[in-house]
C-alpha cells in the first residue's frame, strides 16, 4: 500500500512539471502578454524594448521558464503592479477562503449525493428513483452561476434570509455560516446531482451481480449485504469526486464573483478584467496544483478501498 | 416435419394437382417470407439507429428543442423586429410580459427576447464548434497514439494527461484570458479543453481494435498505416467517439457561456447568453425574472443536448 502511494506520488511529479510549463507558456507565448500591465499603453517601442530587456524577457523561453520556476518554488510568484501587492500574498489569503468554500461544498454535496444515489439505486423504478434521476440530469446540465443567481434572487432578494455576498468570518460563527449558505448551496447542488447519478448507476450495477445472491444465500442480514454492495459501488463515485472537486475549484471563479466571496475565483475574475496576467498565472498555477494533489489523494484512497484498483496498477 | 414442408410448397414449379386453398396458402407464406427477408437485410446500422432514436420520445423531444433553438437563432430577424443592439433608454428594465417586450428589457432598454434569439447564434456556435473540433483533433491524436504506441504515442498521451490535470473550466479560463476576449478565442479555448478526453476515448478504443487479426491482415496485404487507420480502425472506433462527443455539447455550451459571463467572449454589445446573464445581474432585485431568462436558455439548451445525447447512446448500443 505504501509502495503504491509512493509510486503514485512519483507519477504525479511529471504531471506537475507539465502543468507548470503550460501555465508558464500560456502567459508568455503571446506577444505582449508577459509585459501586459507593466508597460504603459503609450510607451514607445524603444521604452518597451528597454523594459523587456530589464525584465529578462528577451532571454530564450527555457531560460525564462527555469528562472520563473525557481522563483515560484521559493514562493515568489511575481508582483502585481495593479494591486501593488506580492502575488503570493494575495493568493495565500484567497486560497484559504476558497478552500473553506470548496471543502464544505464538496463534503455536503458528495454526502447527500451518495445518500440520494443509494436510495434511488436500491429502490429502482420507484417514484423516488425517477425524481432523483431527473434532478441529477438537471444538475448535470445547469451552470453553477445560474443556480447561484436563482438562489440569490430567492433567498437574498425576495426572502432576505441570507446576505447577498461577502465573507463575514470575523463577526462570529453565526454570521460566518450565514454568509456560507448560498455559495455552498450553489456549488454543492451540482456536486450532489452528479454524485447521485454515479452512485445510482453503481448500485444498480452491483445489485445485479452474482455475488449479492451468494451473500444472501449465505444468510447474511440485509444490512450486511448492503454494506458489501456499497463498498463495491464506491469506486466510480470516488473517481467522480476528484473531478467534482476540480469543478468546484474551477467553478469558484463564477460563484465567488457572484457572491463577492474573497477567494481565488474572485481574484482571478478581477485579474482577468484588468488583464493583470501575473495574478492570472499565479492563481491558475495554484488551483491546478491543488487539483493535481486532490486527484492524487483520491487515487490513493481508491486503492485503499478497492483491492481491484490496487491490483490493476501496482 | 413441418419445417421441411414449407420450402417445398414455396418452390415455383410446385402446384399442379394441389387444391386451390393450399396454393393460396403457399403464396401467402411466400409473401410473408419475402417481407421478413426485406426486414432483415437492407437495414444499415445508421438506419437502425435512427429508427431506435425516433422511438425514444424523450430523445425526440430533446432533439426538437435543439432544432427550435437553432431555428430561432438563425431566423431571429424574421421572428422579432426589435433591435438586439440598440435599446430605448426610456424603456429600461421592463418586466416580463410588458407591452411590446415579451421577455422584458435590460438595463439599456434593449428587448430581451430579441437579444436571446440573436444571442443564441454565438452561444450555440460556441457550444457546437468546439465539440466538433475537439472530436476531430482528439480522434487524430488518439488513433495515432493508439496505433503507434512507442515514443510518439507515449509523448502524445502524456501531454494529454497534463492538459487533463487542469479543472476543465479553469483551463478554458486560462487559455481564454491568455488569448484575450472574442468568439474565436472562446472556441479555441473550449476546443483545447475537450481534446484530451476525446483523445483518451479514441486511444483506448484504438488499442482494443489494433490487436485484432483483421488489422494484421490489412498490414500484411500491404496497406499503408494511414490506409489501415482510415479503412480498418476508424470505422471501428467511430461509434465510441460519436457517443462520447455528443455528450460534450452541453458542457461545451456551459463553459463557453462561463467565459462570456467573465467577459472573455465576444465584446459587447453583441448579445451572448453568458454575457447577458452577467450584465443583467445588476438588475436582479428590480426585475429578477428577466435576469433569469438568459440563464434559463443556457440551461434549456444544455439539458436538451444531454438528453438527446443519452437517447443517441441508447439507440447506438445494439446490445440493448
Amino acid at each position: 500500500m505504501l509502495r503504491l502511494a509512493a509510486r503514485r506520488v512519483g507519477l504525479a511529479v511529471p504531471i506537475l512539471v507539465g502543468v507548470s510549463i503550460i501555465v508558464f507558456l500560456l502567459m508568455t507565448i503571446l506577444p505582449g502578454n508577459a509585459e501586459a500591465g507593466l508597460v504603459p499603453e503609450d510607451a514607445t517601442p524603444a521604452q518597451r524594448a528597454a523594459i523587456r530587456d530589464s525584465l529578462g524577457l528577451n532571454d530564450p523561453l527555457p531560460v525564462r521558464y527555469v528562472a520563473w520556476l525557481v522563483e515560484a518554488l521559493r514562493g515568489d510568484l511575481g508582483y502585481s503592479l495593479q494591486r501593488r501587492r506580492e502575488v503570493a500574498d494575495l493568493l495565500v489569503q484567497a486560497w484559504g477562503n476558497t478552500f473553506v468554500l470548496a471543502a464544505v461544498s464538496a463534503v455536503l454535496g458528495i454526502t447527500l449525493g451518495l445518500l440520494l444515489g443509494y436510495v434511488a439505486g436500491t429502490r429502482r423504478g420507484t417514484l423516488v428513483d425517477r425524481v432523483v434521476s431527473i434532478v441529477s440530469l438537471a444538475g448535470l446540465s445547469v451552470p453553477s452561476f445560474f443556480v447561484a443567481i436563482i438562489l440569490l434572487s430567492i433567498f437574498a432578494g425576495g426572502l432576505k434570509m441570507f446576505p447577498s455576498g461577502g465573507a463575514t468570518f470575523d463577526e462570529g460563527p453565526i454570521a460566518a455560516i450565514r454568509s456560507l449558505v448560498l455559495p455552498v448551496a450553489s456549488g454543492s447542488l451540482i456536486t450532489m446531482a452528479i454524485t447521485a447519478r454515479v452512485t445510482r448507476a453503481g448500485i444498480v450495477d452491483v445489485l445485479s451481480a452474482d455475488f449479492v445472491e451468494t451473500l444472501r444465500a449465505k444468510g447474511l442480514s440485509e444490512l450486511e449485504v448492503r454494506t458489501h454492495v456499497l463498498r463495491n459501488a464506491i469506486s466510480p463515485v470516488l473517481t467522480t469526486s476528484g473531478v467534482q472537486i476540480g469543478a468546484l475549484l474551477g467553478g469558484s471563479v463564477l460563484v465567488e464573483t457572484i457572491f463577492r466571496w474573497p477567494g481565488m475565483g474572485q481574484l482571478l475574475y478581477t485579474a482577468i478584467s484588468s488583464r493583470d496576467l501575473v495574478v492570472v498565472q499565479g492563481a491558475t498555477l495554484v488551483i491546478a496544483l491543488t487539483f493535481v494533489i486532490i486527484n492524487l489523494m483520491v487515487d490513493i484512497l481508491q486503492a485503499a478501498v478497492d483491492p481491484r484498483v490496487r491490483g490493476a496498477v501496482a | 416435419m413441418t419445417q421441411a414442408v414449407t420450402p417445398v410448397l414455396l418452390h415455383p414449379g410446385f402446384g399442379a394437382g394441389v387444391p386451390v386453398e393450399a396454393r393460396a396458402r403457399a403464396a401467402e407464406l411466400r409473401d410473408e417470407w419475402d417481407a421478413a427477408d426485406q426486414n432483415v437485410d437492407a437495414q444499415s446500422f445508421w438506419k437502425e439507429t435512427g429508427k431506435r432514436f425516433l422511438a425514444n420520445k424523450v430523445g425526440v423531444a430533446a432533439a426538437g428543442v435543439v432544432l427550435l433553438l437553432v431555428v430561432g437563432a438563425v431566423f431571429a430577424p424574421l421572428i422579432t423586429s426589435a433591435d438586439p443592439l440598440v435599446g430605448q433608454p426610456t424603456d429600461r428594465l421592463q418586466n416580463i410580459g410588458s407591452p411590446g417586450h415579451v421577455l422584458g428589457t435590460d438595463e439599456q432598454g434593449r428587448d430581451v427576447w430579441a437579444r436571446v434569439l440573436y444571442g443564441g447564434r454565438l452561444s450555440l456556435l460556441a457550444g457546437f464548434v468546439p465539440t466538433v473540433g475537439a472530436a476531430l483533433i482528439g480522434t487524430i491524436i488518439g488513433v495515432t497514439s493508439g496505433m503507434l504506441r512507442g515514443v510518439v504515442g507515449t509523448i502524445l498521451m502524456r501531454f494529454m494527461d497534463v492538459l487533463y490535470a487542469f479543472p476543465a473550466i479553469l483551463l478554458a479560463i486560462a487559455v481564454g484570458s491568455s488569448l484575450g476576449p472574442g468568439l474565436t478565442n472562446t472556441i479555441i479555448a473550449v476546443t483545447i479543453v475537450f481534446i484530451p478526453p476525446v483523445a483518451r476515448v479514441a486511444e483506448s478504443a484504438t488499442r482494443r481494435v489494433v490487436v485484432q487479426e483483421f488489422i494484421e491482415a490489412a498490414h500484411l496485404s500491404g496497406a499503408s498505416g494511414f490506409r489501415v487507420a482510415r479503412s480498418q480502425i476508424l470505422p471501428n472506433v467511430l461509434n465510441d467517439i460519436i457517443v462520447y462527443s455528443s455528450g460534450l455539447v452541453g458542457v461545451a455550451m456551459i463553459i463557453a457561456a462561463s467565459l462570456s459571463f467573465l467577459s472573455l467572449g465576444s465584446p459587447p454589445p453583441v448579445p451572448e447568453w453568458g454575457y447577458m446573464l452577467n450584465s443583467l445581474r445588476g438588475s436582479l432585485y428590480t426585475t429578477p425574472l428577466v435576469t433569469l431568462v438568459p440563464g434559463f436558455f443556457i440551461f434549456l439548451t444544455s439539458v436538451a443536448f444531454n438528453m438527446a445525447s443519452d437517447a443517441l447512446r441508447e439507440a447506438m448500443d445494439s446490445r440493448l
Side-chain angles (χ1 to χ4, degrees):
Chain A
M1 190 60 219
L2 210 64
R3 266 180 60 194
L4 176 118
R7 212 180 116 87
R8 281 302 167 99
V9 173
L11 282 176
V13 171
I15 297 280
L16 287 174
V17 174
V19 165
S20 72
I21 293 178
I22 289 190
V23 171
F24 170 78
L25 283 181
L26 274 179
M27 296 307 149
T28 31
I29 206 157
L30 289 188
N33 267 2
E35 72 263 30
L38 297 176
V39 187
E41 293 290 329
D42 53 350
T44 64
Q47 283 170 323
R48 227 171 245 277
I51 290 176
R52 283 185 66 88
D53 209 38
S54 74
L55 291 170
L57 292 180
N58 293 328
D59 293 339
L61 271 180
V63 175
R64 283 166 59 197
Y65 167 70
V66 172
W68 173 78
L69 188 66
V70 168
E71 289 300 304
L73 287 175
R74 285 163 53 191
D76 181 4
L77 288 166
Y79 182 79
S80 161
L81 279 178
Q82 282 161 32
R83 297 286 199 110
R84 310 215 171 274
R85 291 273 302 277
E86 288 289 335
V87 175
D89 289 349
L90 286 169
L91 289 177
V92 166
Q93 213 175 22
W95 192 86
N97 287 334
T98 296
F99 182 79
V100 170
L101 187 58
V104 177
S105 309
V107 169
L108 199 70
I110 291 170
T111 317
L112 288 177
L114 265 175
L115 260 169
L116 280 180
Y118 178 78
V119 169
T122 47
R123 288 167 185 68
R124 198 177 164 194
T126 61
L127 186 69
V128 190
D129 180 29
R130 292 220 187 103
V131 171
V132 171
S133 295
I134 291 172
V135 170
S136 26
L137 185 70
L140 200 67
S141 321
V142 72
S144 60
F145 52 92
F146 184 46
V147 178
I149 287 180
I150 294 178
L151 290 175
L152 203 56
S153 72
I154 299 174
F155 294 104
L159 301 174
K160 301 206 190 315
M161 278 165 68
F162 298 105
S164 66
T168 42
F169 284 144
D170 29 343
E171 290 168 34
I174 306 266
I177 290 172
R178 272 169 55 91
S179 70
L180 258 172
V181 170
L182 291 184
V184 164
S186 344
S188 57
L189 270 179
I190 295 170
T191 311
M192 183 190 83
I194 296 175
T195 311
R197 197 173 149 103
V198 178
T199 312
R200 182 196 174 274
I203 296 271
V204 167
D205 216 34
V206 175
L207 272 179
S208 67
D210 290 338
F211 79 86
V212 178
E213 197 89 352
T214 314
L215 290 178
R216 290 221 170 90
K218 246 168 62 176
L220 255 60
S221 74
E222 195 54 30
L223 187 73
E224 283 167 307
V225 173
R226 293 284 163 93
T227 322
H228 280 278
V229 168
L230 197 61
R231 203 177 148 184
N232 272 282
I234 205 90
S235 207
V237 179
L238 278 175
T239 313
T240 39
S241 301
V243 179
Q244 284 310 302
I245 296 173
L248 283 171
L249 287 171
S252 70
V253 182
L254 301 139
V255 171
E256 287 180 4
T257 305
I258 292 169
F259 290 109
R260 286 178 283 116
W261 185 265
M264 305 284 288
Q266 206 193 23
L267 190 67
L268 247 175
Y269 176 70
T270 36
I272 291 169
S273 347
S274 55
R275 276 194 84 64
D276 193 354
L277 289 176
V278 207
V279 176
V280 177
Q281 189 177 39
T284 310
L285 183 69
V286 172
I287 300 179
L289 292 190
T290 313
F291 185 47
V292 172
I293 292 170
I294 286 172
N295 270 328
L296 183 66
M297 295 194 313
V298 169
D299 265 4
I300 295 173
L301 188 66
Q302 204 167 14
V305 178
D306 192 339
R308 285 170 301 187
V309 175
R310 229 175 302 161
V313 290
Chain B
M1 218 30 227
T2 44
Q3 283 166 332
V5 171
T6 334
V8 176
L9 280 174
L10 287 173
H11 193 273
F14 183 80
V18 171
V20 184
E21 307 91 79
R23 279 159 68 176
R25 178 73 191 126
E28 243 171 61
L29 275 173
R30 188 174 55 216
D31 288 349
E32 260 174 48
W33 271 41
D34 283 353
D37 257 8
Q38 271 162 14
N39 271 336
V40 173
D41 52 36
Q43 284 274 333
S44 75
F45 171 72
W46 285 108
K47 207 167 155 192
E48 183 79 13
T49 300
K51 225 169 160 184
R52 285 156 175 262
F53 187 88
L54 288 178
N56 184 336
K57 289 196 187 86
V58 180
V60 172
V65 170
V66 170
L67 197 67
L68 269 184
L69 288 162
V70 172
V71 168
V74 172
F75 297 104
L78 301 177
I79 298 170
T80 174
S81 56
D83 189 329
L85 302 182
V86 187
Q88 202 44 262
T90 47
D91 280 355
R92 289 177 66 242
L93 297 177
Q94 298 284 312
N95 227 326
I96 284 191
S98 54
H101 303 293
V102 198
L103 291 180
T105 57
D106 68 1
E107 73 286 351
Q108 293 186 33
R110 293 173 296 201
D111 185 62
V112 171
W113 172 233
R115 281 180 72 73
V116 161
L117 285 175
Y118 282 93
R121 292 180 170 182
L122 294 191
S123 298
L124 289 169
L125 216 58
F128 204 72
V129 178
T131 311
V132 175
L136 283 176
I137 302 173
T139 304
I140 294 173
I141 295 180
V143 170
T144 310
S145 51
M147 278 182 75
L148 295 179
R149 296 193 232 172
V151 184
V152 182
T154 311
I155 290 178
L156 277 175
M157 290 321 286
R158 288 300 84 78
F159 179 55
M160 294 294 111
D161 286 349
V162 169
L163 287 182
Y164 213 69
F166 289 85
I169 203 159
L170 179 76
L171 184 60
I173 291 171
V175 176
S177 56
S178 161
L179 298 176
L183 177 67
T184 320
N185 291 343
T186 302
I187 288 177
I188 295 175
V190 183
T191 307
I192 290 179
V193 169
F194 286 135
I195 291 174
V198 176
R200 276 194 178 179
V201 170
E203 197 235 14
S204 67
T206 306
R207 272 168 176 268
R208 242 190 354 257
V209 175
V210 94
V211 291
Q212 292 186 22
E213 277 160 358
F214 65 89
I215 300 292
E216 201 177 333
H219 279 298
L220 285 176
S221 73
S224 67
F226 177 73
R227 182 153 177 185
V228 172
R230 190 177 54 83
S231 69
Q232 309 296 319
I233 292 182
L234 212 52
N236 283 299
V237 298
L238 215 52
N239 281 2
D240 285 11
I241 296 168
I242 291 175
V243 165
Y244 183 78
S245 309
S246 73
L248 292 177
V249 186
V251 193
M253 276 270 321
I254 292 183
I255 294 185
S258 307
L259 290 186
S260 123
F261 184 91
L262 297 171
S263 322
L264 286 171
S266 280
V270 183
E272 203 179 339
W273 294 341
Y275 178 77
M276 284 170 69
L277 186 61
N278 196 9
S279 75
L280 280 167
R281 215 150 49 89
S283 43
L284 181 61
Y285 301 120
T286 25
T287 50
L289 286 178
V290 179
T291 304
L292 297 181
V293 168
F296 172 76
F297 273 88
I298 300 172
F299 176 52
L300 180 72
T301 318
S302 171
V303 171
F305 270 122
N306 283 339
M307 286 180 144
S309 138
D310 273 1
L312 181 69
R313 178 177 36 235
E314 276 169 30
M316 283 174 76
D317 193 345
S318 48
R319 287 170 308 167
L320 290 177

